[in-house]
Amino acid sequence: MAVPVFCNSCFCEPRNPTPLFSLTSCGHVFCEICLQKGKKDECLVCRTACRTLVLSKQISPDIQSLFMGVDVLCKKYSKEILQVSEFQEKHRKHLLTYHKQKIAKLEESLKRVTQQMQKLQCMKPPEKTTPLPFSSTSKNPLSIPSRKQNVYSSYSLHSSRPSTSEMMEAMEIDPVPSPMRKV
């Protein structure tokens, strides 16, 4: 049911012959008779400056909706809202599908890299730690001069191990037999 239109000054309703009704920018409705009685560009009810618009079938849908019944508006806008909702849902699903595919690819890449790392760890021989040479102050029967210790310590900084010949060259053997050793 449409909202009844009536003049906010004389409270008359449209009748035959229908007087023209106008809507003010401040939201009041007046018949053409009352509008002519008042001051130009001033509302008869709130006395503020305003503009007027003659009500007809050619006015914008936004203004026409002010005079429609709420039930009609609900049906009209529920259809529009449904269309907007379906449109937005379609695009949300599309975006969600894209992100799911992207996540699946990233998870697959992570799985492959993890498997490659595990294979590399299985192939890599266990690292053997070489014992550090005894210092000259320890109770070792072999005395190693401190200048030669630097040679060994520099080897530990490198990832590759020294060859046996390099180690032999770096070693000095004490020619005096140790009392602990049997000759």
Side-chain angles (χ1 to χ4, degrees):
M1 179 172 143
V3 175
V5 177
F6 60 91
C7 176
N8 291 167
S9 179
C10 70
F11 295 95
C12 73
E13 294 180 11
R15 59 189 178 281
N16 289 336
T18 304
L20 294 174
F21 281 78
S22 296
L23 174 67
T24 63
S25 56
C26 59
H28 295 104
V29 177
F30 298 106
C31 66
E32 64 182 333
I33 298 165
C34 291
L35 199 57
Q36 290 173 357
K37 291 178 189 176
K39 292 181 182 178
K40 185 175 169 119
D41 297 332
E42 182 182 87
C43 180
L44 297 168
V45 174
C46 63
R47 304 282 185 223
T48 60
C50 64
R51 295 179 316 276
T52 58
L53 175 68
V54 176
L55 297 176
S56 69
K57 292 182 179 181
Q58 286 77 31
I59 59 173
S60 73
D62 291 338
I63 293 176
Q64 285 181 15
S65 66
L66 296 174
F67 299 97
M68 289 181 178
V70 175
D71 58 336
V72 174
L73 285 173
C74 286
K75 287 178 186 176
K76 176 185 175 193
Y77 289 117
S78 66
K79 288 178 185 176
E80 290 177 19
I81 290 170
L82 181 62
Q83 289 173 340
V84 169
S85 176
E86 287 172 350
F87 174 82
Q88 291 178 359
E89 182 64 22
K90 176 183 161 187
H91 285 278
R92 270 194 297 272
K93 284 182 179 179
H94 187 69
L95 182 63
L96 182 62
T97 301
Y98 166 76
H99 284 295
K100 283 181 178 180
Q101 289 172 349
K102 190 174 181 180
I103 288 170
K105 286 179 183 178
L106 289 172
E107 286 176 340
E108 185 60 34
S109 295
L110 178 63
K111 186 178 178 181
R112 277 195 315 268
V113 168
T114 303
Q115 289 172 347
Q116 288 174 352
M117 286 177 57
Q118 289 173 347
K119 285 179 183 177
L120 288 173
Q121 287 176 348
C122 290
M123 291 172 48
K124 184 178 177 183
E127 290 186 23
K128 295 179 183 176
T129 56
T130 55
L132 293 175
F134 293 104
S135 67
S136 59
T137 58
S138 68
K139 295 180 181 179
N140 184 17
L142 299 176
S143 75
I144 302 171
S146 61
R147 65 181 175 88
K148 293 296 180 180
Q149 286 177 350
N150 291 337
V151 172
Y152 288 113
S153 63
S154 67
Y155 287 135
S156 64
L157 295 177
H158 298 294
S159 60
S160 63
R161 295 186 180 163
S163 68
T164 308
S165 60
E166 289 173 332
M167 287 180 67
M168 292 298 286
E169 289 175 4
M171 297 171 103
E172 285 187 10
I173 300 174
D174 188 3
V176 179
S178 169
M180 303 289 281
R181 246 185 326 180
K182 292 184 179 177
V183 184

